[in-house]
Amino acid sequence: MANHSYPILCASFNQDFSLFAIATRDGFKIFDSSTGRLCYEQAIGAFTIVEMLFSSSLLAIVGAGEQPSLSPRRLCLFNTTTGHPLRELNFLTSILAVRMNRKRLVVLLQEKTYVYDINSLTILDTIDTAPNLKGLCAFSPSLDGCFLALPACTTRGSVLLYNVMELQSHCEIDAHRAPLVAMVLSSNGMYIATASEQGTIIRVHSVSEATKSYSFRRGTYPSTIFSLSFGPSMEIPEILVATSSSGSVHAFSLGLGISQSTAGQSSPQKLKKKRSRRSNSFLGSMMLESVTDALDPAHHNVLHNAAPAGVKSYAVIRKVDKITDPSISETLACRVTISILTYNGYFQDYILSINNQDEFLWSLARGFNLLLDDAICS
């Protein structure tokens, strides 16, 4: 849901992070993530949802309700080539989130989630959910591992994982004791990262096995986690980033495959013990065990003051480039491109360099004000 104290009402990246969109009370804009070039804009009123389908001309947009024609209960499928709506879907309550891939359209309401065939707009399934006031969800766009994650409970941090292609519930994971505030699925649907309202621990679970793979301690004091993002990968994501209300960006290494220069260095807590599933339920269930959530600080690095404290921010990992030694076929270092959108109107690209001694170096590559008419990256 949009916070109307910010000039930006919503911000989103497309499925491969090549484009991003922002919406204000005046309309919405779409930018090229690599160049900062403004690709498209419509000044037709306030929107709370602007979702793209890769780099196609199809948008899913939802109005903020500030104009009669832009109801928060109406989903408009919009063609950017013609500048006209293709189809509209109306609902009884406000739309809180929309997700898409090339086969499915998912619409979240407060207590129901609808799954559509994106080509025919036929309703394929309706999911009754726990009250989800903020429209919290995670979605993996891959057709081979297309999962939707939703809060399963309002009093604890349980996640319902639903297979969007097979139209059936996959499992339920009890990830935290406190209610969830952020979650993300890896693009291939193999892993899910979650954070609770407390904001001190971030957990990563394997989706297929419903097992906890990593636990990361963000900090000692509570903080609101605004966003989580995995690095792009066909297998295990190499890195995870989080933004928080402190204005910091946290980077966690999940196994970059960098050849270590010193032996015996510890790695993030990885639990190989498999959780048993409940055989008498259609949902696999995984309960919290009494474990210590510890992390070697070498695998956690913080960029302070990336955004003003308290201002909502959204970070994604757009690219991971590995530097290899061909003679020994080992990775010596990597460069991670991290894009950060802040709801006060700024875009920044950071390069995070990680060497074989687990040393992290942040550098600002470019940044610009999204709200200026002549905004262009610098």
Coordinates of all heavy atoms in Angstrom, one line a residue, residues 167-216:
L167 N -1.5 -24.6 -9.6 CA -2.8 -24.2 -8.9 C -3.0 -25.0 -7.6 O -4.2 -25.5 -7.4 CB -4.0 -24.3 -9.8 CG -3.8 -23.5 -11.2 CD1 -5.0 -23.7 -12.1 CD2 -3.7 -22.0 -10.9
Q168 N -2.0 -25.1 -6.8 CA -2.2 -25.8 -5.5 C -1.2 -25.3 -4.5 O -0.1 -24.8 -4.8 CB -2.0 -27.3 -5.7 CG -0.6 -27.8 -6.2 CD -0.5 -29.3 -6.4 OE1 -1.6 -30.0 -6.5 NE2 0.7 -29.8 -6.6
S169 N -1.6 -25.5 -3.2 CA -0.7 -25.1 -2.1 C 0.5 -26.0 -2.1 O 0.3 -27.2 -2.2 CB -1.5 -25.1 -0.8 OG -2.5 -24.1 -0.8
H170 N 1.6 -25.4 -1.8 CA 2.9 -26.2 -1.8 C 3.3 -26.6 -0.4 O 3.5 -27.7 -0.1 CB 4.0 -25.5 -2.5 CG 5.3 -26.1 -2.4 ND1 5.6 -27.3 -3.1 CD2 6.4 -25.8 -1.7 CE1 6.9 -27.6 -2.8 NE2 7.4 -26.7 -2.0
C171 N 3.3 -25.6 0.5 CA 3.7 -25.9 1.9 C 3.5 -24.6 2.7 O 3.2 -23.5 2.2 CB 5.2 -26.3 2.0 SG 6.4 -25.0 1.6
E172 N 3.6 -24.8 4.0 CA 3.5 -23.6 4.9 C 4.8 -23.7 5.8 O 5.1 -24.7 6.3 CB 2.3 -23.7 5.8 CG 2.1 -22.5 6.7 CD 0.8 -22.5 7.4 OE1 -0.2 -22.9 6.9 OE2 0.8 -22.0 8.6
I173 N 5.4 -22.5 5.9 CA 6.7 -22.4 6.7 C 6.5 -21.4 7.8 O 6.0 -20.3 7.6 CB 7.8 -21.9 5.8 CG1 8.1 -22.9 4.7 CG2 9.1 -21.7 6.6 CD1 9.1 -22.5 3.6
D174 N 6.8 -21.9 9.0 CA 6.8 -21.0 10.2 C 8.2 -20.4 10.3 O 9.1 -21.0 10.9 CB 6.5 -21.7 11.5 CG 5.0 -22.0 11.6 OD1 4.2 -21.3 10.9 OD2 4.6 -22.9 12.4
A175 N 8.4 -19.2 9.7 CA 9.7 -18.6 9.6 C 10.1 -17.8 10.8 O 11.3 -17.7 11.1 CB 9.7 -17.8 8.3
H176 N 9.1 -17.1 11.4 CA 9.4 -16.2 12.5 C 8.3 -16.3 13.5 O 7.2 -16.7 13.3 CB 9.5 -14.7 12.0 CG 10.5 -14.5 10.9 ND1 11.8 -14.1 11.1 CD2 10.4 -14.6 9.5 CE1 12.5 -14.0 10.0 NE2 11.6 -14.3 9.0
R177 N 8.7 -15.8 14.7 CA 7.7 -15.8 15.8 C 6.8 -14.5 15.7 O 5.6 -14.6 16.0 CB 8.3 -15.8 17.2 CG 9.1 -17.1 17.5 CD 9.6 -17.1 18.9 NE 10.3 -18.4 19.2 CZ 11.5 -18.6 18.9 NH1 12.3 -17.7 18.3 NH2 12.0 -19.8 19.2
A178 N 7.3 -13.4 15.2 CA 6.5 -12.2 15.0 C 6.0 -12.2 13.5 O 6.5 -12.8 12.6 CB 7.4 -11.0 15.2
P179 N 4.9 -11.4 13.3 CA 4.3 -11.3 12.0 C 5.3 -10.8 10.9 O 6.3 -10.0 11.2 CB 3.2 -10.2 12.2 CG 2.8 -10.3 13.6 CD 4.1 -10.6 14.3
L180 N 5.1 -11.2 9.7 CA 6.0 -10.9 8.6 C 5.8 -9.4 8.2 O 4.7 -8.8 8.2 CB 5.7 -11.8 7.4 CG 6.0 -13.3 7.6 CD1 5.4 -14.0 6.4 CD2 7.4 -13.5 7.7
V181 N 6.9 -8.8 7.7 CA 6.9 -7.5 7.2 C 7.5 -7.4 5.8 O 7.3 -6.4 5.0 CB 7.6 -6.5 8.1 CG1 9.1 -6.7 8.1 CG2 7.2 -5.1 7.8
A182 N 8.3 -8.4 5.4 CA 9.0 -8.4 4.1 C 9.3 -9.8 3.7 O 9.6 -10.6 4.5 CB 10.3 -7.5 4.1
M183 N 9.2 -10.1 2.4 CA 9.6 -11.4 1.8 C 9.9 -11.2 0.4 O 9.5 -10.3 -0.3 CB 8.5 -12.4 2.0 CG 7.2 -12.0 1.3 SD 5.9 -13.4 1.4 CE 5.2 -13.1 3.0
V184 N 10.8 -12.2 -0.1 CA 11.1 -12.2 -1.5 C 11.4 -13.6 -1.9 O 12.0 -14.4 -1.1 CB 12.3 -11.3 -1.8 CG1 13.6 -11.8 -1.2 CG2 12.5 -11.1 -3.3
L185 N 11.1 -14.0 -3.1 CA 11.4 -15.3 -3.7 C 12.5 -15.1 -4.7 O 12.6 -14.1 -5.4 CB 10.2 -15.9 -4.4 CG 9.2 -16.6 -3.5 CD1 7.8 -16.7 -4.2 CD2 9.7 -18.0 -3.2
S186 N 13.5 -16.0 -4.8 CA 14.5 -16.0 -5.9 C 13.7 -16.1 -7.2 O 12.7 -16.7 -7.3 CB 15.5 -17.1 -5.7 OG 14.9 -18.3 -5.7
S187 N 14.3 -15.6 -8.2 CA 13.7 -15.6 -9.5 C 13.4 -16.9 -10.1 O 12.4 -17.1 -10.8 CB 14.5 -14.8 -10.6 OG 15.8 -15.4 -10.7
N188 N 14.1 -18.0 -9.7 CA 13.9 -19.3 -10.1 C 12.9 -20.1 -9.1 O 12.7 -21.2 -9.4 CB 15.2 -20.1 -10.3 CG 16.0 -20.1 -9.0 OD1 15.5 -19.8 -7.9 ND2 17.3 -20.4 -9.1
G189 N 12.5 -19.4 -8.1 CA 11.5 -20.0 -7.2 C 12.1 -21.0 -6.2 O 11.4 -21.7 -5.5
M190 N 13.5 -21.1 -6.1 CA 14.1 -22.1 -5.3 C 14.2 -21.7 -3.8 O 14.2 -22.5 -2.9 CB 15.5 -22.4 -5.8 CG 15.5 -23.1 -7.2 SD 17.1 -23.4 -7.8 CE 17.8 -24.5 -6.5
Y191 N 14.3 -20.4 -3.5 CA 14.5 -19.9 -2.2 C 13.6 -18.7 -1.9 O 13.2 -17.9 -2.7 CB 16.0 -19.5 -2.0 CG 17.0 -20.6 -2.0 CD1 17.5 -21.0 -3.2 CD2 17.3 -21.3 -0.8 CE1 18.4 -22.1 -3.3 CE2 18.2 -22.4 -0.9 CZ 18.7 -22.8 -2.1 OH 19.5 -23.9 -2.1
I192 N 13.3 -18.6 -0.6 CA 12.5 -17.5 -0.1 C 13.2 -16.9 1.1 O 13.7 -17.6 2.0 CB 11.0 -17.9 0.3 CG1 10.2 -16.7 0.7 CG2 11.0 -19.0 1.3 CD1 8.7 -16.9 0.8
A193 N 13.3 -15.6 1.1 CA 13.8 -14.8 2.3 C 12.7 -14.0 3.0 O 11.9 -13.5 2.3 CB 14.9 -13.9 1.8
T194 N 12.8 -14.0 4.3 CA 11.7 -13.4 5.0 C 12.3 -12.5 6.2 O 13.4 -12.8 6.7 CB 10.7 -14.4 5.6 OG1 11.5 -15.3 6.5 CG2 10.0 -15.2 4.6
A195 N 11.5 -11.5 6.6 CA 11.8 -10.7 7.8 C 10.6 -10.4 8.5 O 9.5 -10.3 7.9 CB 12.5 -9.4 7.4
S196 N 10.6 -10.4 9.8 CA 9.5 -10.1 10.7 C 9.4 -8.7 11.1 O 10.3 -7.9 10.8 CB 9.5 -11.0 11.9 OG 10.4 -10.6 12.8
E197 N 8.4 -8.3 11.8 CA 8.2 -6.9 12.3 C 9.4 -6.5 13.2 O 9.7 -5.3 13.3 CB 6.9 -6.8 13.1 CG 5.7 -6.9 12.2 CD 4.4 -6.7 13.0 OE1 4.5 -6.8 14.2 OE2 3.3 -6.6 12.3
Q198 N 10.0 -7.5 13.9 CA 11.2 -7.1 14.7 C 12.4 -6.7 13.9 O 13.1 -5.7 14.3 CB 11.6 -8.3 15.6 CG 12.6 -8.0 16.7 CD 12.8 -9.2 17.6 OE1 12.3 -10.3 17.4 NE2 13.6 -8.9 18.7
G199 N 12.6 -7.3 12.8 CA 13.6 -6.8 11.8 C 15.1 -7.1 12.2 O 16.0 -6.6 11.6
T200 N 15.3 -8.0 13.2 CA 16.7 -8.3 13.6 C 17.2 -9.5 12.8 O 18.4 -9.6 12.7 CB 16.8 -8.5 15.1 OG1 15.9 -9.5 15.5 CG2 16.5 -7.2 15.8
I201 N 16.4 -10.4 12.4 CA 16.8 -11.7 11.8 C 16.2 -11.8 10.4 O 15.0 -11.6 10.3 CB 16.4 -12.9 12.6 CG1 17.1 -12.9 14.0 CG2 16.7 -14.2 11.9 CD1 18.6 -13.1 13.9
I202 N 17.0 -12.2 9.4 CA 16.5 -12.5 8.1 C 16.7 -14.0 7.8 O 17.9 -14.4 8.1 CB 17.1 -11.6 7.0 CG1 16.7 -10.1 7.2 CG2 16.7 -12.1 5.6 CD1 17.5 -9.2 6.4
R203 N 15.7 -14.7 7.4 CA 15.9 -16.1 7.2 C 15.6 -16.5 5.8 O 14.8 -15.9 5.1 CB 14.9 -16.9 8.1 CG 15.3 -16.8 9.6 CD 14.5 -17.8 10.5 NE 15.0 -17.8 11.8 CZ 14.5 -17.1 12.8 NH1 13.3 -16.5 12.7 NH2 15.0 -17.2 14.0
V204 N 16.4 -17.5 5.3 CA 16.3 -18.0 3.9 C 15.9 -19.4 4.0 O 16.6 -20.2 4.7 CB 17.6 -17.8 3.2 CG1 17.5 -18.4 1.7 CG2 18.0 -16.3 3.1
H205 N 14.8 -19.8 3.3 CA 14.4 -21.2 3.3 C 14.4 -21.8 1.9 O 14.2 -21.0 0.9 CB 12.9 -21.3 3.8 CG 12.8 -21.0 5.3 ND1 12.7 -19.7 5.8 CD2 12.7 -21.9 6.3 CE1 12.6 -19.8 7.1 NE2 12.6 -21.1 7.5
S206 N 14.6 -23.0 1.8 CA 14.5 -23.8 0.5 C 13.0 -24.0 0.3 O 12.3 -24.5 1.2 CB 15.2 -25.1 0.6 OG 14.8 -26.0 -0.4
V207 N 12.5 -23.6 -0.9 CA 11.1 -23.8 -1.2 C 10.7 -25.3 -1.4 O 9.7 -25.7 -0.8 CB 10.7 -23.0 -2.4 CG1 9.3 -23.3 -2.9 CG2 10.8 -21.5 -2.1
S208 N 11.5 -26.0 -2.1 CA 11.1 -27.4 -2.5 C 11.1 -28.3 -1.2 O 10.2 -29.1 -1.1 CB 12.1 -27.9 -3.5 OG 13.4 -28.0 -3.0
E209 N 12.0 -28.0 -0.3 CA 12.1 -28.9 0.9 C 11.5 -28.3 2.1 O 11.3 -29.0 3.1 CB 13.6 -29.2 1.2 CG 14.3 -29.9 0.0 CD 13.7 -31.3 -0.2 OE1 13.2 -31.9 0.7 OE2 13.9 -31.8 -1.4
A210 N 11.1 -27.0 2.1 CA 10.5 -26.3 3.2 C 11.5 -26.4 4.4 O 11.1 -26.6 5.5 CB 9.2 -26.9 3.6
T211 N 12.8 -26.2 4.1 CA 13.8 -26.2 5.2 C 14.6 -24.9 5.2 O 14.7 -24.2 4.2 CB 14.9 -27.3 4.9 OG1 15.4 -27.1 3.6 CG2 14.2 -28.7 5.0
K212 N 15.0 -24.6 6.4 CA 15.8 -23.3 6.6 C 17.2 -23.6 6.2 O 17.9 -24.5 6.6 CB 15.8 -22.9 8.1 CG 16.5 -21.6 8.3 CD 16.2 -20.9 9.6 CE 16.6 -21.7 10.8 NZ 16.4 -21.0 12.0
S213 N 17.7 -22.7 5.3 CA 19.0 -22.8 4.7 C 20.0 -21.9 5.4 O 21.2 -22.2 5.6 CB 19.0 -22.6 3.2 OG 18.2 -23.6 2.6
Y214 N 19.6 -20.6 5.6 CA 20.4 -19.6 6.2 C 19.7 -18.8 7.2 O 18.5 -18.5 7.1 CB 21.0 -18.7 5.1 CG 21.9 -19.3 4.1 CD1 21.3 -19.8 2.9 CD2 23.2 -19.5 4.3 CE1 22.1 -20.3 1.9 CE2 24.0 -20.0 3.3 CZ 23.5 -20.5 2.1 OH 24.2 -21.0 1.2
S215 N 20.4 -18.3 8.2 CA 19.9 -17.2 9.1 C 20.9 -16.1 9.2 O 22.1 -16.4 9.4 CB 19.6 -17.8 10.5 OG 18.5 -18.7 10.5
F216 N 20.4 -14.9 9.0 CA 21.3 -13.7 9.0 C 20.8 -12.7 10.1 O 19.6 -12.5 10.2 CB 21.3 -13.0 7.7 CG 21.9 -13.8 6.6 CD1 21.1 -14.3 5.6 CD2 23.2 -14.0 6.5 CE1 21.6 -15.0 4.5 CE2 23.8 -14.8 5.5 CZ 23.0 -15.3 4.5

